[in-house]
Amino acid sequence: MKNLNFKDKWVLVTGASSGLGAEMARQLAVQHGANLILLARRKERLESLKTLIEGETNSKVKVFAIDLSIPEQVEKLLQTILSEYDLYAAVLNAGITYLGKHLALPKEQFNQMIQTNIVSVTYMTSQLAAYFERKQSIGGIMIVSSMAAIFPTPFQAAYAGTKGFLLNFASALSQELENRALSITVFLPGGIATEMTAGDGFNELRGYLMPVQQVAKEGLVAFKKRKSTYIPGFLNRLSSKLAFLLRKDFIIKQTGRTYKKSLDRHSEL
Ligand SMILES: NC(=O)c1ccc[n+]([C@@H]2O[C@H](COP(=O)([O-])OP(=O)(O)OC[C@H]3O[C@@H](n4cnc5c(N)ncnc54)[C@H](OP(=O)(O)O)[C@@H]3O)[C@@H](O)[C@H]2O)c1
């Protein structure tokens, strides 16, 4: 399968108002020459990014404010985008977490996470896959999961579950596709320094966080090369390869200890 080439093509990026999504959007325009359709709730952030990108490049940028946890909004906007734009690729990046004891996770916050991380991504992936199957054109979908899909993280239990769902769903679906020019990439970052990890509860984990620019750069290369799964960061890849030397429950236990220490320190502050 030929590599993806984003130059002058429309690429959809969800969760583009901050962190990894904003950085991937910027790099897609600056380094890959893509035109962008950017989605998130904070419209003013999207507008600032649009101004920045249009000032730096010749890329066209469209922004749409949307709450991806509300299915009616997702269905309506995606239908509009697919009927008005000749879409080439999509980066389904938006996601939220909850750091703390799962038993203290309020029901509303849990539902919000399931809607954002699972329901909207599954729906959008299905619609996008159907769109590219119908068009029989070149296309790519990148789903931002997490290393938590492989090594579940205690104190982010529900989050790890949502990311595991995405990995299994996308890996299975990609084998069903008939359009040989369409690929699905599941991106599995470890910790990244973004708004998601900015809170004090992550203090003990800061040393493990990768700079967002590096994660975005590696992710886009993997997407371009149509990797089925990709973990950014040499050490992350190495640890995932060497993990078979250790028992998985040992790794999960150690991760849990680090998170607990971080949360305990935070609650003492
Ligand atoms: N940070 C990490 O350590 C890490 C590690 C592995 C994987 N990831 C994954 O990477 C992705 C990006 O996270 P990040 O670290 O860049 O976090 P971030 O800076 O908090 O960005 C999250 C993005 O998702 C958007 N979003 C959240 N809920 C939304 C909703 N209901 N509707 C529309 N947009 C919504 C946010 O925009 P608005 O708030 O403006 O809506 C924001 O643009 C996530 O899927 C995350 O799970 C992160």
Side-chain angles (χ1 to χ4, degrees):
M1 211 189 291
K2 258 173 67 178
N3 279 359
L4 291 169
N5 179 354
F6 306 115
K7 179 107 182 78
D8 297 326
K9 304 286 184 4
W10 284 105
V11 181
L12 171 74
V13 182
T14 71
S17 62
S18 70
L20 184 59
E23 184 57 26
M24 283 197 289
R26 201 189 63 78
Q27 292 190 17
L28 271 164
V30 174
Q31 273 139 37
H32 300 270
N35 296 322
L36 299 167
I37 302 168
L38 306 179
L39 271 50
R41 287 167 299 186
R42 288 170 290 179
K43 191 156 190 199
E44 62 301 338
R45 292 273 201 112
L46 295 177
E47 294 285 6
S48 311
L49 185 60
K50 173 183 159 77
T51 307
L52 187 92
I53 291 172
E54 287 179 341
E56 252 183 277
T57 68
N58 292 323
S59 296
K60 293 177 215 145
V61 183
K62 302 283 172 192
V63 304
F64 296 96
I66 180 175
D67 187 337
L68 292 165
S69 71
I70 302 174
E72 298 74 31
Q73 287 193 19
V74 180
E75 286 165 28
K76 202 168 156 211
L77 181 58
L78 192 59
Q79 206 175 21
T80 306
I81 290 170
L82 294 183
S83 60
E84 291 181 8
Y85 295 87
D86 186 14
L87 203 68
Y88 181 79
V91 179
L92 304 181
N93 158 81
I96 52 171
T97 190
Y98 163 81
L99 178 66
K101 285 192 169 177
H102 177 70
L103 299 187
L105 170 59
K107 190 175 149 208
E108 295 68 33
Q109 223 174 312
F110 172 76
N111 288 342
Q112 175 86 4
M113 195 190 312
I114 298 296
Q115 287 296 332
T116 310
N117 294 12
I118 296 185
V119 179
S120 89
V121 181
T122 310
Y123 176 79
M124 290 181 86
T125 305
S126 310
Q127 294 300 310
L128 289 163
Y131 168 83
F132 287 119
E133 290 279 62
R134 264 196 317 274
K135 274 209 322 173
Q136 284 294 308
S137 65
I138 294 181
I141 303 169
M142 181 156 83
I143 292 179
V144 179
S145 172
S146 162
M147 269 184 95
I150 309 169
F151 300 114
T153 40
F155 302 100
Q156 288 192 105
Y159 172 78
T162 66
K163 295 298 177 176
F165 175 95
L166 293 183
L167 173 61
N168 281 340
F169 165 67
S171 305
L173 173 65
S174 59
Q175 296 307 314
E176 294 183 24
L177 303 175
E178 287 176 9
N179 177 356
R180 297 251 164 240
L182 169 63
S183 55
I184 300 183
T185 297
V186 184
F187 190 40
L188 303 152
I192 320 167
T194 62
E195 275 182 24
M196 184 176 274
T197 51
D200 290 340
F202 283 97
N203 278 350
E204 293 292 312
L205 299 147
R206 264 187 228 295
Y208 301 102
L209 303 180
M210 282 181 71
V212 69
Q213 295 81 0
Q214 181 62 26
V215 177
K217 187 174 169 197
E218 289 194 36
L220 292 176
V221 171
F223 188 27
K224 207 175 153 128
K225 291 186 175 169
R226 300 175 180 274
K227 302 261 185 208
S228 53
T229 57
Y230 188 78
I231 297 174
F234 174 72
L235 287 178
N236 286 340
R237 278 195 299 283
L238 186 69
S239 62
S240 79
K241 291 271 188 302
L242 296 180
F244 71 91
L245 295 172
L246 299 167
R247 285 180 25 225
K248 193 164 175 174
D249 57 356
F250 173 78
I251 298 170
I252 297 170
K253 204 175 209 169
Q254 289 309 313
T255 310
R257 285 202 174 128
T258 313
Y259 269 88
K260 186 161 186 329
K261 200 165 136 198
S262 194
L263 283 165
D264 287 348
R265 289 247 167 103
H266 170 51
S267 60
E268 281 162 15
L269 292 175

